[in-house]
Amino acid sequence: MRTCPECGASYEAADANCARRFEALLALDHSRNEPWGSRHGLAFSAYAIQHSDRFPPDVLERAWILLYKVYVNGEDYRRVTDALRRSGRRNPDWELPPVPQSRPRPHFAVTIADLGSFPSETYPQQLEDWCKASLQAWRELPADR
């Protein structure tokens, strides 16, 4: 059994890992088929938040903004992603708590490994659970910025 040092996901196969699973999910996302294509930003954000060492601070901030506005503030996903696109690389004041500087490791309640083969019937709910677990672990950290 192998465990991801970043998110805590467990894998039985020696060649299985989060990066490979994310590549498989990205292939579904980029196919533009539903239910995957329209939810790419959420999936990317959950992955980035759980594998924060792989991404620069501005990417993590955008992932934080998206997940926070959707799952804490209850804002519409499409409106938030449109606003993020319009802002470009700038991250204006979104009136949110700052991204915590410390990182939760490695115990997320839901990881990419828990999503199985990303079946269309259950993917929307699994993705929501993954996003919420990603955000919750970070929200439990002090906002030390």
Side-chain angles (χ1 to χ4, degrees), residues 77-100:
Y77 163 68
R78 285 179 181 84
R79 286 184 181 200
V80 176
T81 54
D82 287 347
L84 283 166
R85 277 190 204 105
R86 282 191 309 273
S87 71
R89 293 283 234 190
R90 299 179 347 274
N91 284 334
D93 182 9
W94 295 86
E95 298 180 12
L96 300 176
V99 178

Side-chain angles (χ1 to χ4, degrees), residues 46-89:
Y47 185 79
I49 291 286
Q50 288 192 1
H51 298 87
S52 58
D53 288 347
R54 301 175 191 205
F55 298 95
D58 65 314
V59 170
L60 295 176
E61 183 175 18
R62 293 172 78 78
W64 169 261
I65 289 167
L66 178 61
L67 295 180
Y68 200 99
K69 287 184 98 41
V70 171
Y71 293 107
V72 176
N73 292 359
E75 295 183 35
D76 179 71
Y77 163 68
R78 285 179 181 84
R79 286 184 181 200
V80 176
T81 54
D82 287 347
L84 283 166
R85 277 190 204 105
R86 282 191 309 273
S87 71
R89 293 283 234 190

Side-chain angles (χ1 to χ4, degrees), residues 20-145:
R20 285 202 173 109
R21 294 211 23 86
F22 189 57
E23 287 172 11
L25 178 55
L26 283 178
L28 290 169
D29 284 356
H30 291 299
S31 73
R32 304 237 187 254
N33 290 322
E34 290 305 321
W36 309 279
S38 64
R39 295 170 172 87
H40 168 73
L42 294 170
F44 179 86
S45 294
Y47 185 79
I49 291 286
Q50 288 192 1
H51 298 87
S52 58
D53 288 347
R54 301 175 191 205
F55 298 95
D58 65 314
V59 170
L60 295 176
E61 183 175 18
R62 293 172 78 78
W64 169 261
I65 289 167
L66 178 61
L67 295 180
Y68 200 99
K69 287 184 98 41
V70 171
Y71 293 107
V72 176
N73 292 359
E75 295 183 35
D76 179 71
Y77 163 68
R78 285 179 181 84
R79 286 184 181 200
V80 176
T81 54
D82 287 347
L84 283 166
R85 277 190 204 105
R86 282 191 309 273
S87 71
R89 293 283 234 190
R90 299 179 347 274
N91 284 334
D93 182 9
W94 295 86
E95 298 180 12
L96 300 176
V99 178
Q101 292 297 302
S102 54
R103 305 288 188 247
R105 300 230 198 241
H107 302 288
F108 289 91
V110 179
T111 68
I112 195 168
D114 297 315
L115 277 65
S117 61
F118 317 109
S120 62
E121 309 80 38
T122 57
Y123 179 70
Q125 184 60 54
Q126 289 178 317
L127 176 61
E128 185 170 313
D129 294 344
W130 184 31
C131 288
K132 288 179 179 178
S134 301
L135 182 62
Q136 185 59 39
W138 279 51
R139 288 187 68 209
E140 292 172 357
L141 296 170
D144 48 14
R145 206 193 272 186

